[in-house]
Amino acid sequence: LKVKPYFIAFCIIVQNIVGLVIVCTFNYTLYYEFVYCITVGVIMMFFAIVFCFILPETRKMKLREAQEQFTYFFNFKVY
């Protein structure tokens, strides 16, 4: 629970740094625009998959049960 906000902040920082580097060196051609879109898409998909394993499912749980789910780093639970 203590490190999850840092991971979210890390993801945002990485995405913004990649965006800044690409925008600052961006030559407005169709190829570079394609590479930019693919790069941002890959980063978003990677972290979405990571968050699927890290963030717990807390629907239909009481608050105490949900809070216990956030104590673990990886939450592997197959429904």
Side-chain angles (χ1 to χ4, degrees):
L1 181 64
K2 294 179 182 177
V3 296
K4 288 187 182 185
Y6 297 111
F7 282 126
I8 294 171
F10 175 73
C11 295
I12 293 170
I13 289 169
V14 167
Q15 183 176 359
N16 287 331
I17 287 173
V18 168
L20 282 174
V21 167
I22 292 174
V23 168
C24 289
T25 61
F26 195 71
N27 295 331
Y28 293 97
T29 64
L30 188 59
Y31 173 75
Y32 289 119
E33 188 172 348
F34 173 76
V35 170
Y36 173 75
C37 291
I38 294 296
T39 305
V40 171
V42 167
I43 290 171
M44 291 174 69
M45 288 301 294
F46 172 74
F47 285 116
I49 292 169
V50 168
F51 284 148
C52 286
F53 291 110
I54 291 178
L55 295 177
E57 178 63 50
T58 57
R59 282 185 286 175
K60 299 180 183 178
M61 287 187 177
K62 295 179 181 177
L63 183 59
R64 185 173 305 276
E65 295 170 349
Q67 189 173 5
E68 289 174 6
Q69 292 291 320
F70 280 98
T71 59
Y72 303 109
F73 184 73
F74 289 108
N75 296 291
F76 295 110
K77 191 173 186 181
V78 179
Y79 294 96

